[in-house]
Amino acid sequence: MDIRSQLREMPYHTLAHWLPIIDCNIKFYGAHSQQVPYRWAMPEETHPGFEIILIIHGTQESVIHGYTYTVDEGSILLIPPGFKHTNTCISAEGMTYFSAHFNVDDPVFTLKLMSQRSRIYAAGTGDNMKIKAVLESWMSMINTAEAYSSTDKLLMQARMFELFALLSQAAENTPESTISVDAAHAPAPTAMHYAGAIAEAIKQAFHAQLRSRDDNVSSVKVEQIISSFGISPGYGLQVFRKVFGHSPRAYLSSLKLQEAKVLIEQPDLSLGEIAIKLGYTHLSHFSRQFKRWTGQSPLLYRNQHAENSLNPVAQPPEGNSER
C-alpha cells in the first residue's frame, strides 16, 4: 500500500495533533517576460487556468467580458479560467510585462478566486507588493542558456504555493464593494456552489476508490454523483463546465493522471495493480489511456523515471503533458 493510502486509513486519536492531508494537482503552464511596442495587442482568447500579469513598464488596456480595465505600471491583473479577454499596449513608449499561467484542482481555492471575477491589485498596495515579490522571483529564474534542473523546478513550485496563499488571503480580505464589475458575466453563485460540490464529491469518491482493498474494479460514476445533489446530470455538466472550463470527466481524468504518475513511480507495484486501482478492467485499457495523456506507455514512463532519479540534473525540462 502506498504512503498516502496508509495515512488515510490511520485511526483517529483524540490526543494526536494532525496537519491535513494535502492531495491536489497543480499545473504551471509556463511564464514569460516580453517587451512590446505601442498598440501591440493579443487577440481575444481564453485559458484553461488562471493568468496573472505584472506590468513592469507602461500601461495595458484589458477588455474582459466586454468591460475595459486599465492596468498601470506596477499593477497586477488576475484573469480567471474561461474568461474571454484581450490585452493591448496603450502607452506610447511601449510596454514590458510578465505573464504566468497556472491552475490547481482545489475547488474551494478556485471558487474563492473566481468569486472575485477578474481583479487588479493596484501598484503600491500591500497585496500588490507581496504578490509582486513572488512574480519577480519567478522572473529571476528565467533561464535561456541551459535546461532547468530539478531544483529549479521545485523552487518554482514553492513560489507557486506561496502565490496561492497570498491570493487566497487577499480574496478573504476583500470587501464585496470592491469586487469587479464584470460579475454579471461570471457564473451565478448557485452554479458555483453546485460545481464546487460536484468537484469535491468526485475527488472524494476517487480517493475512496484508491483506498479500497477489493480486487474488483470499481469506477467513479459522475452522473450518479451529480444526481445525488438533486439536480439533473445535464444541468450539472453545464454548470461544471461554465465554472471550471472543462467537464467533470476531464477533471476526473486529471485526478487519474496525477495518481497514475505517483503509482507508476513506485517499482513494487505492478502495472496491472495500478490499472485496477484506477478503475480499469484491463491493463491494455489503462496503457492506451496513459499514452493518450502523456504520449508514453506506463512502462516507458516508469523506466524514464528510474533513469531520471539516477541523473536528475542532466534531463531536459518536461513539457505540459497534463492538459
Side-chain angles (χ1 to χ4, degrees):
M1 184 186 302
D2 66 276
I3 185 62
R4 286 192 286 184
S5 296
Q6 293 177 34
L7 287 172
R8 291 187 185 112
E9 294 183 3
M10 281 186 175
Y12 175 76
H13 297 286
T14 56
L15 298 180
H17 301 280
W18 294 85
L19 288 174
I21 295 174
I22 300 174
D23 192 356
C24 63
N25 186 20
I26 63 168
K27 299 181 183 180
F28 185 49
Y29 294 112
H32 70 281
S33 179
Q34 185 173 353
Q35 185 175 359
V36 296
Y38 176 61
R39 292 299 182 191
W40 166 91
M42 285 293 295
E44 186 176 72
E45 59 183 349
T46 62
H47 303 296
F50 290 92
E51 179 178 12
I52 191 164
I53 304 171
L54 166 63
I55 304 302
I56 302 170
H57 300 293
T59 305
Q60 174 174 288
E61 182 180 86
S62 297
V63 179
I64 306 172
H65 276 316
Y67 288 90
T68 301
Y69 301 82
T70 300
V71 191
D72 298 315
E73 185 170 308
S75 293
I76 296 168
L77 173 66
L78 180 68
I79 304 175
F83 276 45
K84 294 181 180 179
H85 61 279
T86 62
N87 297 318
T88 305
C89 170
I90 60 172
S91 46
E93 69 277 15
M95 180 181 74
T96 304
Y97 71 90
F98 174 77
S99 171
H101 298 260
F102 63 89
N103 213 348
V104 59
D105 72 353
D106 183 329
V108 175
F109 172 77
T110 300
L111 293 182
K112 183 188 294 184
L113 293 192
M114 290 187 69
S115 67
Q116 298 185 108
R117 289 56 177 181
S118 47
R119 180 180 174 189
I120 294 176
Y121 302 87
T125 61
D127 289 336
N128 171 277
M129 290 188 288
K130 293 175 185 176
I131 296 170
K132 184 179 178 182
V134 176
L135 300 182
E136 288 177 338
S137 178
W138 266 342
M139 290 172 57
S140 70
M141 295 180 189
I142 294 177
N143 182 357
T144 58
E146 58 188 34
Y148 292 101
S149 69
S150 297
T151 300
D152 293 332
K153 295 176 186 177
L154 289 171
L155 287 172
M156 292 175 194
Q157 291 184 58
R159 299 295 180 270
M160 187 182 303
F161 280 108
E162 185 178 352
L163 176 64
F164 293 167
L166 292 173
L167 292 174
S168 182
Q169 289 173 353
E172 291 171 353
N173 297 331
T174 301
E176 288 199 11
S177 59
T178 65
I179 288 178
S180 171
V181 294
D182 62 352
H185 295 269
T190 301
M192 296 180 72
H193 165 75
Y194 280 124
I198 291 167
E200 187 60 30
I202 289 173
K203 191 171 185 178
Q204 293 300 324
F206 178 64
H207 288 164
Q209 172 187 310
L210 292 173
R211 291 195 301 268
S212 175
R213 297 186 179 184
D214 192 342
D215 289 336
N216 295 325
V217 174
S218 62
S219 59
V220 177
K221 308 294 186 184
V222 172
E223 288 77 11
Q224 289 182 9
I225 288 175
I226 294 174
S227 298
S228 70
F229 292 101
I231 58 177
S232 70
Y235 175 72
L237 293 171
Q238 178 185 350
V239 298
F240 195 99
R241 186 179 289 278
K242 184 174 180 62
V243 171
F244 290 111
H246 53 256
S247 70
R249 291 190 180 281
Y251 174 63
L252 177 59
S253 289
S254 71
L255 296 178
K256 287 186 177 182
L257 173 59
Q258 175 196 14
E259 194 68 28
K261 289 182 174 181
V262 172
L263 295 175
I264 290 172
E265 290 170 5
Q266 299 179 38
D268 57 320
L269 285 175
S270 73
L271 296 179
E273 290 175 305
I274 294 170
I276 291 174
K277 271 183 169 292
L278 295 175
Y280 293 93
T281 308
H282 301 290
L283 173 58
S284 59
H285 296 166
F286 168 59
S287 296
R288 283 197 296 271
Q289 181 60 57
F290 190 83
K291 192 166 185 177
R292 279 196 289 268
W293 283 330
T294 66
Q296 297 177 315
S297 69
L299 182 58
L300 179 58
Y301 181 88
R302 170 171 278 178
N303 291 339
Q304 287 193 349
H305 172 74
E307 293 174 5
N308 294 352
S309 298
L310 295 174
N311 188 20
V313 177
Q315 303 304 316
E318 295 178 1
N320 293 324
S321 61
E322 297 185 15
R323 292 181 180 271

